[in-house]
């Protein structure tokens, strides 16, 4: 079953927030809600939604400052943002777009138009692009894809670029068997000048660096490799 995109709706007016919640859910989205700037930033950092519908006129921190903060952080900068505000002057639209907003809708708005705009932005930016930066965690291994860091417990593990890609590929699809050829395509790409046995060498080195946690990467003779969420 295809995962439903998650939308963070941010507005300090309860009626508007309820309207957004109802219509977004009706359109098939999962919905998160926030009523001020700090809450929106905290939720975005924690949940990494697929898109944010963000009001400009917020208490404590204006929506433009929320957007500026999100765009300044590596972890959240890729999250698409649709600005929603009562301000309709051209200068406000320009400021929002210059800060990195992906679209701009003024109040009062048509729920149908909002849904169409949200779907268009998700299609244009690639639904789930931000979610792909979410950390992976299993079997004591934590991978921060945004910062390209790997830890086992509190210990940082230093991996080469290819070892990192291998780990992310396998951990990102636990239980899925990857043949050597498939891993070559995913990790090294089409313009590769390596043999399938190169995968074996990198897997062996990766397991060694992961120590006991390396046993999570199983070899299926004649098939390939799989990341197991269950300890071996």
């Amino acid at each position: 079953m295809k995962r439903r995109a998650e939308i963070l709706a941010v507005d300090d007016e309860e009626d508007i927030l309820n309207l957004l919640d109802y219509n977004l859910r009706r359109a098939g989205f999962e919905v998160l809600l926030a009523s001020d700037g700090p809450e929106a930033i905290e939720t975005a950092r924690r949940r990494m939604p697929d898109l944010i519908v963000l009001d400009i006129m917020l208490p404590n921190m204006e929506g433009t400052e929320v957007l500026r903060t999100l765009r300044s952080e590596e972890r959240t900068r890729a999250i698409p943002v649709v600005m929603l505000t009562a301000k309709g002057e051209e200068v406000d639209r320009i400021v929002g777009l210059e800060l990195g907003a992906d679209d701009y809708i003024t109040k009062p708005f048509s729920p149908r138009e909002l849904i169409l705009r949200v779907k268009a932005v998700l299609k244009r930016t690639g639904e789930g692009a931000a979610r792909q930066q979410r950390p992976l965690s299993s079997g004591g291994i934590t991978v921060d894809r945004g910062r390209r860091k790997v830890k086992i417990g509190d210990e940082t593990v230093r991996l080469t670029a290819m070892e990192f890609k291998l780990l992310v590929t396998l951990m990102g699809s636990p239980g899925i068997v990857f043949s050597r050829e498939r891993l070559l395509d995913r990790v090294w790409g089409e313009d590769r000048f390596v043999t399938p046995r190169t995968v074996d060498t990198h897997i062996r080195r990766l397991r060694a660096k992961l120590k006991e946690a390396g046993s999570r990467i199983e070899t299926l003779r004649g098939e390939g490799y799989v990341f197991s969420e269950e300890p071996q």
Side-chain angles (χ1 to χ4, degrees):
M1 182 181 294
K2 184 179 178 180
R3 179 188 64 81
R4 296 199 296 174
E6 192 171 68
I7 310 296
L8 170 58
V10 187
D11 201 296
D12 63 320
E13 296 182 48
E14 186 176 356
D15 289 345
I16 297 295
L17 210 53
N18 289 337
L19 181 66
L20 291 170
D21 187 26
Y22 173 78
N23 284 281
L24 288 167
R25 289 186 185 280
R26 188 179 180 188
F29 298 109
E30 295 286 349
V31 183
L32 305 168
L33 303 176
S35 57
D36 63 27
E39 183 184 9
I41 293 172
E42 191 279 331
T43 302
R45 288 169 175 163
R46 176 169 49 86
R47 294 296 298 266
M48 293 293 290
D50 294 284
L51 182 142
I52 300 174
V53 177
L54 177 64
D55 186 29
I56 282 186
M57 300 298 290
L58 295 172
N60 304 321
M61 177 187 290
E62 286 201 350
T64 50
E65 189 58 33
V66 173
L67 180 58
R68 192 191 308 275
T69 300
L70 294 174
R71 289 294 182 256
S72 70
E73 298 181 7
E74 183 176 5
R75 179 173 169 77
T76 57
R77 67 179 48 162
I79 302 176
V81 175
V82 175
M83 302 298 288
L84 180 64
T85 177
K87 288 187 174 182
E89 293 82 359
E90 182 179 8
V91 64
D92 296 312
R93 292 196 295 273
I94 291 175
V95 168
L97 294 172
E98 285 182 343
L99 287 174
D102 296 271
D103 205 347
Y104 198 108
I105 301 176
T106 57
K107 299 176 182 177
F109 63 90
S110 159
R112 177 174 171 77
E113 180 187 3
L114 173 70
I115 297 302
L116 290 174
R117 294 281 193 96
V118 165
K119 289 181 176 180
V121 171
L122 285 172
K123 184 176 181 180
R124 185 171 72 244
T125 59
E127 181 179 321
R131 186 178 289 264
Q132 291 173 8
Q133 297 300 311
R134 283 185 173 181
L136 297 170
S137 183
S138 180
I141 307 170
T142 300
V143 179
D144 189 329
R145 289 182 281 189
R147 295 181 175 86
R148 300 184 67 81
K149 291 184 178 180
V150 177
K151 285 189 174 184
I152 299 178
D154 295 327
E155 180 184 353
T156 298
V157 180
R158 298 188 180 282
L159 302 180
T160 66
M162 291 304 177
E163 290 166 351
F164 184 85
K165 288 182 180 180
L166 268 175
L167 182 59
V168 167
T169 299
L170 292 167
M171 278 190 70
S173 300
I176 302 300
V177 179
F178 287 85
S179 67
R180 292 182 178 86
E181 286 293 340
R182 189 177 177 192
L183 285 173
L184 284 173
D185 288 339
R186 284 283 193 94
V187 178
W188 280 265
E190 295 181 357
D191 298 327
R192 62 179 187 266
F193 297 94
V194 293
T195 67
R197 289 299 173 186
T198 300
V199 175
D200 299 338
T201 301
H202 281 76
I203 289 287
R204 186 166 57 250
R205 291 173 180 169
L206 177 58
R207 282 176 174 152
K209 290 183 178 181
L210 295 176
K211 300 179 181 178
E212 290 184 6
S215 64
R216 298 280 179 160
I217 302 175
E218 297 182 53
T219 301
L220 298 183
R221 189 175 299 276
E223 296 184 58
Y225 296 99
V226 60
F227 185 87
S228 174
E229 293 186 302
E230 299 296 327
Q232 300 302 306

